Amino acid sequence: MFSLLWVDDDILFLSLVIAETKMWAHIQVKTVLNEEEAEKILGKNRIDMVISEYLLPEKSGIDLLRHIRSRHGDLPFLILTGYGNEDIAIEASRYGVTGYFRKTGDIVAQLNEIYGIVRIEMVRKEKRESHKLQELPSRSILNIQQSFLLRINMNMVVLFCNPVLLATIHISSKDIVGENFLNYIIKSDRGPFVDAIMKLSSESPNISFKFRLFPADNKTQKIWTEWIWTAFFDNDGSCNFIQGIGIDLEKNREPTSREEQYFTNLEFLSRTAMKLLDIEDQQTLYQFIGDTILEIVPDSYITVGAIDKKNHTLILKTVVCSEDILPIVRKELGSNITGYAYPLSLDPSAEVVFLKKGPVRAPSLYYLLFHMVPEEKCKRIEEMLSLGDSYILGFSSQGEAFGHVAITLKKGHELENRELLEAFVSQASVACLRLHTLQELIESEERYKAVVESQTDVILRFRPDGTHIFANDAFFTYFDITPEELAERTIIPFIFNEDFELLKKHLTKLTASDPISTIEIRLILNDGSIRWQQLNIRAIFTPDGELIEYQAVGRDITQRKCAEDELVKLYAELEEKVKERTRELSAVNNDLSMYTYSVTHDLRAPLRAIDGFTAIFLEKYTKDLPSESIRLLEIIRKNVAKMNQLIDSLFFLSKSTHHILQKDMIHIEQLVREVLEELLIDNKKRDIITIIGPIPNGYADKVLIRQVFVNLFSNALKFTRSKPQTIIEMGFGPSSGELAYFIRDNGIGFDMNYADRIFKLFERVHFGNEYEGSGVGLAIVKQIIDRHGGKIWAESSPGKGSVFYFTLGPEKTLDPVI
């Protein structure tokens, strides 16, 4: 399991990270909010990689990187920040971060890119762990005493040499690595040495051999050495390297009994190391451990236990003892003692003991059997079998305990050959770590497969040549194909012919730096039908940049594509209908314009005649007419003038409707002053105060907006006529929750119950002859404001004046001009 620590104080972002990374196979993601929580996790857990936000509550991500590497080694470290800039990127590069990313809006795509980097670090870790598993058995042997350690290839070229051998032959590592080891062997011993090495095979990988070396600076001196050589082979039988472990025998001296025992132990450990590497299941491993320890410590009673991390228990895996002890043990304890689970919570010190190096004395058999057998029976067994001292050795590696072996000796016996026992337990610990890691990978793979198989989306992995690596159940159901049929086909037959080149070009664009993309293509099902799929494709590369495979997740979008096609057709039909209706409306508008012009022209002629003849009649015959006749003729003329005004208003209403808008930024305050100046000429005898506040410029059609001000100010002047002093104010401010232009007066006002009528054509709220008007002016104002995309409304109260508000649409105005 690859362990990843993610540090970010953005809780929302971390929740998205947790949701997305659940699908990351073989990766355990731990999230924290700050540096203090990160240090706690690092202190209690083995972390393989760290991802951090740059801006953290108390220190920067770079400070955290320096702190982590000073205490926990050179961990891969990735900076992911929402506040990045060039300086941060340069700083991150200077401190050697694995990667630097700025957070983007597409979090899923970015996490997919990060996942690719994490997978690369996983591959690197697996290579390091594999290398360690091969080295550790031999290193455990070296713990027995100071020895030579040399690694060569089949051509005798030195790959590695430890300091003990370097000091013995007076040479540095840089001078011997890459050189032929035969150059340091006495000539007469070279031939036998080469012959012995060449006999090594995967069936017989070990050999013991004595030969003489000479120092690099004194070829006349002879150093007698004795070695155990072990060849390490690949699955195909090719030799990776040959490793030798040796000692200095001193010139022409026969080996002592301790040295003889040492080499016997070396041979024993070389044999057990190879066997441990071949074991693939835990029960076989624990049985082999028990049998081997009984071989090291004969006439003893041995139990082997394994820790169940999930249930926090210690499970008794096997019991091993000599033949004379076994019948009594079975009789007293029965054969079902193995498999018993002992809760570790009952003895918190147990795991601490298992982490210690070397044997730890245990109190009694009752303790070793987890208190599951009555103490009286344990004492009886100890008496019957004449059992004495007990010892515990734990299986642990990299700070993690996996189990233990308990050894009970016969009375009067001592625990002999401790060096070999400890060395073998060290080997067994590495084997436990290897199987534990393998089991975690298997379980993680099963969980990953369960998640993948439960997906309704099609999931496929395939090589660059198109051959399949994996497909989930949804794939087989979707294409109605069996795994056997799929094995005989590449991905090519599934792709619609016209889309094959498109997919091919798409895949060739993927690189190690940009490995993810999405494409929509058509696929051919087994029954010949064609379906649309949206494929999210990721290219997988090795650390060296070599393309390994593609991973694709597909979702059927046929229904969406059909809907899009229908929508395109609908839009086309709608557009044609709009064009047709536009042509019809344009024709109607043209007819209406001609009608309006004709009406206004034809009506004006008789009105001019009536007004003209009436004026002539009055001019010639006023002296001869009675006063009532003159009054009636004046009424005729006034109504003719009113009719002319109505025709002009209708004509302007029609003109404003068809006028093509030519919007521009208008200096509103200047325009207002011009309009008021013109209107006040006819009102010189009145006491009129005008107030013009700071007004922002507006985006409008100058001709039409001028008419708005003419009509609104004309109304204000008309309905303030009865006031001794007229006050008219123009400004800009808030109303009904938005900013608007306004014109306020202190006139007669109106009842707000009639507010919905004032902007309608020919509607009036003031009747009689006191206030002239056609009922068209405010309708024209509303028509113009509507065409600008704005709004107009009024607020008033009888006798208290009126306020008219309007906006000019969504366009922003300029700053107020003061």
Side-chain angles (χ1 to χ4, degrees):
M1 181 65 70
F2 189 85
S3 187
L4 174 64
L5 177 63
W6 204 304
V7 188
D8 200 311
D9 61 343
D10 186 341
I11 297 177
L12 178 60
F13 179 75
L14 281 185
S15 66
L16 294 173
V17 168
I18 293 170
E20 289 297 328
T21 57
K22 285 180 180 178
M23 291 288 292
W24 289 9
H26 314 316
I27 300 173
Q28 181 184 34
V29 180
K30 299 179 184 294
T31 58
V32 296
L33 297 172
N34 52 51
E35 307 87 325
E36 183 179 352
E37 292 179 7
E39 182 56 40
K40 288 180 181 178
I41 293 291
L42 288 162
K44 296 180 180 180
N45 301 271
R46 185 182 68 190
I47 299 297
D48 299 305
M49 183 174 181
V50 179
I51 299 177
S52 174
E53 163 65 58
Y54 179 80
L55 289 183
L56 294 172
E58 296 180 3
K59 60 177 68 172
S60 74
I62 296 299
D63 292 334
L64 179 63
L65 164 65
R66 296 168 62 188
H67 173 77
I68 288 175
R69 288 187 171 170
S70 67
R71 293 193 176 191
H72 305 284
D74 193 20
L75 290 177
F77 198 99
L78 191 148
I79 292 287
L80 177 65
T81 180
Y83 308 94
N85 55 40
E86 185 177 348
D87 293 337
I88 295 176
I90 293 172
E91 185 181 16
S93 176
R94 185 166 65 249
Y95 285 100
V97 299
T98 307
Y100 170 81
F101 292 90
R102 290 196 64 181
K103 292 177 182 176
T104 64
D106 192 350
I107 295 177
V108 175
Q110 191 160 56
L111 289 179
N112 283 335
E113 187 174 359
I114 292 172
Y115 175 64
I117 295 176
V118 175
R119 290 290 300 180
I120 291 172
E121 294 300 330
M122 286 179 67
V123 171
R124 290 173 177 165
K125 178 194 172 186
E126 289 170 3
K127 287 184 177 180
R128 291 194 299 269
E129 292 295 332
S130 175
H131 189 58
K132 286 180 181 178
L133 286 175
Q134 290 181 335
E135 285 188 343
L136 280 170
S138 298
R139 289 187 178 179
S140 65
I141 298 171
L142 289 178
N143 290 332
I144 298 175
Q145 66 179 60
Q146 284 289 90
S147 307
F148 303 146
L149 176 62
L150 181 71
R151 186 175 295 168
I152 60 175
N153 62 21
M154 290 298 291
N155 296 321
M156 308 300 161
V157 174
V158 177
L159 305 175
F160 171 80
C161 181
N162 77 336
V164 179
L165 181 56
L166 293 173
T168 301
I169 61 175
H170 304 168
I171 197 169
S172 66
S173 177
K174 67 178 182 179
D175 290 330
I176 193 172
V177 173
E179 295 295 321
N180 195 310
F181 181 57
L182 296 178
N183 295 336
Y184 304 93
I185 300 177
I186 298 296
K187 284 186 179 181
S188 58
D189 292 348
R190 293 176 184 175
F193 171 73
V194 173
D195 292 340
I197 292 297
M198 292 302 172
K199 291 178 182 179
L200 296 175
S201 65
S202 57
E203 292 78 20
S204 180
N206 302 305
I207 192 170
S208 175
F209 194 78
K210 295 179 183 177
F211 56 87
R212 291 165 294 176
L213 298 173
F214 59 82
D217 56 356
N218 187 1
K219 294 185 179 181
T220 60
Q221 182 182 348
K222 298 178 179 62
I223 304 169
W224 272 100
T225 61
E226 185 166 7
W227 298 74
I228 296 291
W229 293 92
T230 303
F232 291 83
F233 293 88
D234 280 336
N235 293 332
D236 60 2
S238 59
C239 180
N240 279 335
F241 58 87
I242 304 161
Q243 186 162 281
I245 300 171
I247 59 172
D248 182 355
L249 294 176
E250 299 178 1
K251 186 176 180 180
N252 297 321
R253 181 177 64 80
E254 290 297 323
T256 64
S257 58
R258 176 168 176 76
E259 289 168 348
E260 290 287 359
Q261 180 64 48
Y262 170 69
F263 276 99
T264 301
N265 289 349
L266 284 179
E267 291 178 338
F268 181 89
L269 291 170
S270 295
R271 172 169 53 83
T272 56
M274 299 303 292
K275 289 182 178 180
L276 284 170
L277 288 173
D278 291 335
I279 295 175
E280 297 294 339
D281 69 278
Q282 291 187 350
Q283 188 56 47
T284 303
L285 172 64
Y286 293 121
Q287 187 63 48
F288 175 76
I289 291 172
D291 292 340
T292 304
I293 291 179
L294 183 62
E295 187 177 344
I296 298 172
V297 189
D299 286 337
S300 60
Y301 176 76
I302 298 166
T303 59
V304 182
I307 294 177
D308 181 349
K309 296 286 186 182
K310 293 180 181 177
N311 300 310
H312 200 55
T313 57
L314 183 66
I315 301 173
L316 184 60
K317 287 292 186 178
T318 186
V319 176
V320 183
C321 52
S322 56
E323 291 297 326
D324 59 328
I325 297 177
L326 187 58
I328 299 173
V329 171
R330 286 180 176 171
K331 179 181 177 182
E332 294 294 329
L333 300 179
S335 59
N336 61 346
I337 188 172
T338 56
Y340 181 82
Y342 174 70
L344 288 171
S345 58
L346 298 179
D347 187 1
S349 65
E351 288 189 83
V352 177
V353 172
F354 298 162
L355 289 171
K356 289 184 176 180
K357 297 299 180 183
V360 177
R361 190 181 293 274
S364 66
L365 183 63
Y366 176 65
Y367 175 83
L368 294 178
L369 293 176
F370 315 141
H371 309 158
M372 67 181 181
V373 178
E375 190 171 7
E376 296 77 13
K377 180 177 283 192
C378 290
K379 289 181 178 180
R380 186 169 68 249
I381 294 172
E382 288 175 337
E383 289 296 326
M384 293 173 65
L385 299 177
S386 189
L387 297 178
D389 294 337
S390 297
Y391 297 89
I392 292 176
L393 292 95
F395 304 129
S396 64
S397 182
Q398 300 181 6
E400 185 175 5
F402 303 108
H404 84 302
V405 58
I407 306 170
T408 303
L409 306 174
K410 287 290 188 73
K411 276 185 181 179
H413 287 207
E414 295 289 336
L415 186 61
E416 298 178 352
N417 211 350
R418 290 194 179 201
E419 292 178 344
L420 177 61
L421 178 62
E422 291 180 28
F424 174 72
V425 169
S426 179
Q427 282 186 338
S429 296
V430 175
C432 287
L433 172 63
R434 173 175 166 271
L435 283 191
H436 178 73
T437 304
L438 181 62
Q439 184 63 32
E440 282 189 337
L441 287 173
I442 291 172
E443 291 175 359
S444 177
E445 184 69 25
E446 288 175 352
R447 288 194 297 271
Y448 171 72
K449 287 183 67 176
V451 171
V452 170
E453 294 297 354
S454 66
Q455 297 297 307
T456 56
D457 291 345
V458 170
I459 299 177
L460 178 68
R461 292 169 53 201
F462 58 95
R463 298 181 183 87
D465 63 0
T467 55
H468 300 90
I469 301 173
F470 168 82
N472 68 340
D473 286 345
F475 180 93
F476 296 113
T477 302
Y478 185 81
F479 285 96
D480 190 21
I481 192 173
T482 65
E484 292 74 20
E485 291 173 319
L486 180 63
E488 298 175 356
R489 302 168 66 176
T490 66
I491 191 176
I492 297 173
F494 294 107
I495 303 169
F496 189 65
N497 291 339
E498 295 178 11
D499 293 347
F500 177 72
E501 287 299 323
L502 176 66
L503 177 62
K504 188 176 178 181
K505 291 179 181 178
H506 188 79
L507 294 178
T508 56
K509 292 180 180 178
L510 300 180
T511 63
S513 59
D514 186 18
I516 303 170
S517 65
T518 301
I519 186 174
E520 296 179 356
I521 61 172
R522 288 164 288 183
L523 299 178
I524 305 172
L525 304 191
N526 217 20
D527 60 3
S529 61
I530 298 173
R531 305 285 295 181
W532 276 95
Q533 277 274 339
Q534 182 186 67
L535 296 179
N536 295 311
I537 302 176
R538 179 185 185 88
I540 305 298
F541 295 86
T542 65
D544 298 328
E546 179 185 358
L547 177 63
I548 303 174
E549 64 175 89
Y550 295 102
Q551 296 177 355
V553 178
R555 178 166 297 177
D556 190 295
I557 57 170
T558 306
Q559 189 173 1
R560 193 197 80 194
K561 282 291 187 180
C562 291
E564 288 176 356
D565 290 342
E566 289 297 322
L567 200 58
V568 170
K569 292 179 183 177
L570 183 62
Y571 281 156
E573 293 174 1
L574 186 60
E575 187 176 355
E576 187 57 38
K577 287 182 179 179
V578 169
K579 289 180 179 178
E580 183 179 349
R581 295 293 185 273
T582 302
R583 286 193 296 269
E584 293 174 356
L585 186 60
S586 178
V588 170
N589 285 338
N590 288 334
D591 292 344
L592 183 60
S593 297
M594 293 177 63
Y595 173 76
T596 303
Y597 178 80
S598 175
V599 166
T600 54
H601 181 272
D602 292 345
L603 284 176
R604 277 196 175 94
L607 286 175
R608 283 195 299 271
I610 293 172
D611 184 57
F613 287 125
T614 305
I616 294 170
F617 188 82
L618 284 171
E619 183 180 349
K620 286 187 177 183
Y621 303 110
T622 296
K623 296 178 182 181
D624 303 326
L625 292 174
S627 59
E628 179 63 18
S629 297
I630 295 172
R631 186 182 70 81
L632 291 175
L633 288 171
E634 290 293 341
I635 290 174
I636 291 173
R637 292 199 68 194
K638 286 182 180 179
N639 279 282
V640 168
K642 188 182 294 184
M643 188 64 180
N644 262 324
Q645 182 183 359
L646 178 61
I647 291 172
D648 289 340
S649 297
L650 287 174
F651 182 73
F652 191 86
L653 178 64
S654 174
K655 184 178 179 182
S656 67
T657 303
H658 298 87
H659 176 79
I660 298 174
L661 288 179
Q662 294 181 344
K663 288 187 177 183
D664 202 353
M665 194 57 64
I666 306 300
H667 197 300
I668 298 294
E669 183 176 334
Q670 180 180 336
L671 182 61
V672 166
R673 293 185 184 278
E674 291 175 0
V675 171
L676 282 173
E677 185 179 355
E678 293 176 7
L679 294 175
L680 292 177
I681 292 175
D682 296 330
N683 294 273
K684 289 181 179 181
K685 296 180 179 180
R686 293 174 56 183
D687 185 4
I688 300 174
I689 298 174
T690 59
I691 302 171
I692 302 175
I695 306 172
N697 297 333
Y699 192 67
D701 183 295
K702 188 172 183 179
V703 173
L704 295 183
I705 204 65
R706 188 180 194 283
Q707 190 63 41
V708 167
F709 290 124
V710 168
N711 289 11
L712 291 177
F713 282 126
S714 295
N715 268 12
L717 289 168
K718 177 168 62 176
F719 293 110
T720 56
R721 188 185 301 156
S722 61
K723 298 290 182 178
Q725 185 182 57
T726 295
I727 301 174
I728 299 175
E729 180 185 359
M730 170 73 188
F732 185 82
S735 175
S736 301
E738 58 184 310
L739 293 174
Y741 297 97
F742 66 85
I743 296 176
R744 179 183 288 113
D745 64 59
N746 65 335
I748 61 173
F750 61 87
D751 190 337
M752 286 297 289
N753 290 325
Y754 303 108
D756 59 335
R757 292 172 50 185
I758 61 174
F759 295 109
K760 293 181 180 180
L761 193 62
F762 304 129
E763 292 283 353
R764 301 185 65 193
V765 295
H766 299 290
F767 299 98
N769 296 324
E770 184 178 357
Y771 298 103
E772 71 281 359
S774 61
V776 180
L778 289 180
I780 292 173
V781 169
K782 187 176 187 311
Q783 172 73 35
I784 294 172
I785 296 300
D786 287 346
R787 289 199 64 194
H788 279 76
K791 295 191 301 181
I792 185 167
W793 66 98
E795 294 177 2
S796 185
S797 179
K800 296 183 179 180
S802 303
V803 185
F804 285 84
Y805 297 93
F806 66 90
T807 64
L808 292 176
E811 289 87 2
K812 293 183 178 179
T813 58
L814 299 180
D815 292 335
V817 179
I818 299 176

